[in-house]
Amino acid sequence: MALLTLTEAELRERTSLKWRTFEPDVLPMWVAEMDVHQHPAVVDALTEAIRRGDTGYPHGTAYAEAYAAMAEHRWGWRPEPAQIRRSGDVMNTMLALLVGSTAEGDHVVINPPVYPPFWQVVTGYRRHLTEVALTADARLDLPAIEAALDGPDRPTAYLLCSPHNPTGTLHTAEELTALAQLCGERGVTLIVDEIHAPLTDPGQTFVPILSLPQAQNAVVTFSAGKGWNLAALKGGVMIRGTQAEEVFAQAPPLANQSTGHLATIAHTAALTHAQGWVDDLMAEVAARKRLLVDLLAEHLPQVRHVPGPATYLAWLDCSALGLAHPRNHFLTHGKVALNAGEDFGPAYGQFVRMNLATSEEMLTQGVRRMAASLS
Ligand SMILES: Cc1ncc(COP(=O)(O)O)c(C=O)c1O
């Protein structure tokens, strides 16, 4: 069954952020919620749990075991049980790891353009940002990273997004190894957000950083919330390299408390029963990526866009359109809601991020509305 076929009328029954932030005449193509049919195993697991009245606290290691089984199935690598701990959702886990391993006033490296909460998790908790932008072709700039690590800021932590949101970059084993070594040699805590990891285009390979022998100083935050569209059920796991025991030990004691029991049930069901679902989903997303290329060529040839091999997000450079604020323009004049580029970094005000996890019809309508807003 095709997964991204829900109609606009069906989707407008949803009450989440994506669907209720804007007026009904606006097509929402922004926040990373998918317009997807949920897997029946997840629906059944949750329905059964509610029916049982199984709404207490989480217990046991089912989520961690399901994560390990997925890692082995998808990436041929399996962490030991001692390396995995239940944690909260990805951003709260990142916060816990950051607070535990850095002090107020420390500097933390991020790679703009990057998911807006990476900025907030640093500045909102009295740490400072050291920005090392991705290169023009959306890769890690290792010489610039080395210079920043040795520069006057002397960062003590690094937040890596892998795969990278919003560009969909898949970091290579060589890049990840080099980065881990740069951090390891300087005692910099390397925290890697792998929430988008299962979302790779067909034929593309994601490299889990902890599968690399020389990256065992890293710690990873993961949640099935993104890959299986379960953001409503906050939860996740954190995984440490064999040489990162102290990063776990330093995390605040309640860091594992914010996964709910229903999230554990739903995420575990997804990881256990819905691997083929993600592959089917990403085959459809890859088709949307091809459709977007065609639609842009036809309707918006000035927009520059290089499709990334991971995630369902498109990062569109609208500089050539000569708009003061592309996101506001498309919202006001095209009635299409996209994410504003500057939320991913101040240098990216001419970019917008588009969510492609939707039907062909909605994607087509979205690009047509954007084009019509310019005439
Ligand atoms: C890179 C990245 N990390 C984290 C999150 C949010 O994860 P959580 O809800 O588990 O904090 C998102 C959501 O889109 C994301 O794109």
Side-chain angles (χ1 to χ4, degrees):
M1 185 182 95
L3 295 170
L4 296 171
T5 54
L6 285 156
T7 64
E8 191 178 335
E10 288 170 319
L11 290 161
R12 290 209 182 272
E13 289 177 10
R14 293 186 177 179
T15 58
S16 59
L17 188 67
K18 181 177 186 181
W19 289 96
R20 290 300 162 96
T21 299
F22 300 100
E23 295 297 319
D25 61 342
V26 171
L27 203 62
M29 303 191 75
W30 62 299
V31 64
E33 297 178 17
M34 295 195 269
D35 299 345
V36 69
H37 293 278
Q38 189 47 264
H39 191 284
V42 177
V43 177
D44 290 349
L46 277 174
T47 311
E48 279 300 299
I50 297 284
R51 193 196 49 73
R52 288 195 299 272
D54 196 3
T55 48
Y57 294 107
H59 171 74
T61 55
Y63 195 160
E65 284 159 26
Y67 169 82
M70 174 198 69
E72 180 155 52
H73 165 79
R74 299 196 86 79
W75 309 311
W77 158 79
R78 189 180 186 106
E80 295 297 324
Q83 291 178 264
I84 315 173
R85 258 175 59 180
R86 185 169 72 232
S87 60
D89 60 55
V90 162
M91 290 317 301
N92 277 300
T93 304
M94 190 180 276
L95 172 60
L97 293 168
L98 201 59
V99 166
S101 62
T102 61
E104 278 189 30
D106 281 6
H107 279 256
V108 179
V109 182
I110 61 167
N111 306 117
V114 71
Y115 180 58
F118 274 42
W119 301 75
Q120 294 147 9
V121 77
V122 175
T123 57
Y125 296 87
R126 293 175 290 280
R127 274 71 176 161
H128 302 291
L129 289 161
T130 296
E131 298 169 37
V132 184
L134 294 181
T135 63
D137 56 354
R139 304 233 62 95
L140 291 177
D141 188 340
L142 289 164
I145 290 167
E146 182 167 8
L149 293 178
D150 291 335
D153 292 352
R154 292 280 154 187
T156 54
Y158 193 117
L159 303 181
L160 180 71
C161 193
S162 177
H164 194 87
N165 173 3
T167 57
T169 307
L170 284 170
H171 306 299
T172 64
E174 292 72 27
E175 289 166 334
L176 293 168
T177 300
L179 178 65
Q181 283 178 328
L182 288 174
C183 289
E185 285 158 9
R186 291 159 182 81
V188 172
T189 302
L190 176 54
I191 302 170
V192 185
D193 173 347
E194 295 190 349
I195 196 170
H196 287 270
L199 298 168
T200 47
D201 287 3
Q204 297 288 342
T205 309
F206 167 76
V207 180
I209 191 163
L210 294 181
S211 69
L212 302 169
Q214 292 173 59
Q216 295 306 310
N217 51 317
V219 289
V220 166
T221 64
F222 176 82
S223 166
K226 196 80 350 208
W228 285 267
N229 207 38
L230 296 169
L233 294 143
K234 289 280 196 178
V237 287
M238 55 190 191
I239 312 103
R240 65 164 175 81
T242 52
Q243 289 157 27
E245 275 175 58
E246 76 290 355
V247 184
F248 264 25
Q250 288 162 346
L254 298 184
N256 65 347
Q257 291 288 311
S258 66
T259 290
H261 185 44
L262 290 179
T264 303
I265 289 171
H267 290 207
T268 303
L271 291 168
T272 308
H273 302 294
Q275 291 303 322
W277 181 96
V278 175
D279 297 332
D280 294 346
L281 169 76
M282 288 312 291
E284 284 180 58
V285 169
R288 296 299 180 278
K289 289 180 182 177
R290 291 191 294 273
L291 177 61
L292 177 66
V293 169
D294 292 346
L295 288 167
L296 291 177
E298 188 182 344
H299 300 289
L300 288 169
Q302 311 93 319
V303 170
R304 286 186 46 224
H305 166 53
V306 181
T311 86
Y312 51 80
L313 305 165
W315 185 234
L316 308 179
D317 179 355
C318 302
S319 312
L321 298 177
L323 302 172
H325 192 279
R327 181 267 189 186
N328 288 354
H329 173 92
F330 291 127
L331 181 60
T332 309
H333 302 286
K335 301 288 178 193
V336 184
L338 305 160
N339 284 93
E342 72 266 18
D343 291 347
F344 297 77
Y348 303 94
Q350 284 297 319
F351 285 73
V352 291
R353 192 190 74 173
M354 178 186 264
N355 182 340
L356 304 180
T358 190
S359 66
E360 279 179 20
E361 293 72 23
M362 301 247 287
L363 176 55
T364 305
Q365 197 193 138
V367 176
R368 286 200 180 132
R369 284 188 187 202
M370 289 167 72
S373 76
L374 298 170
S375 56

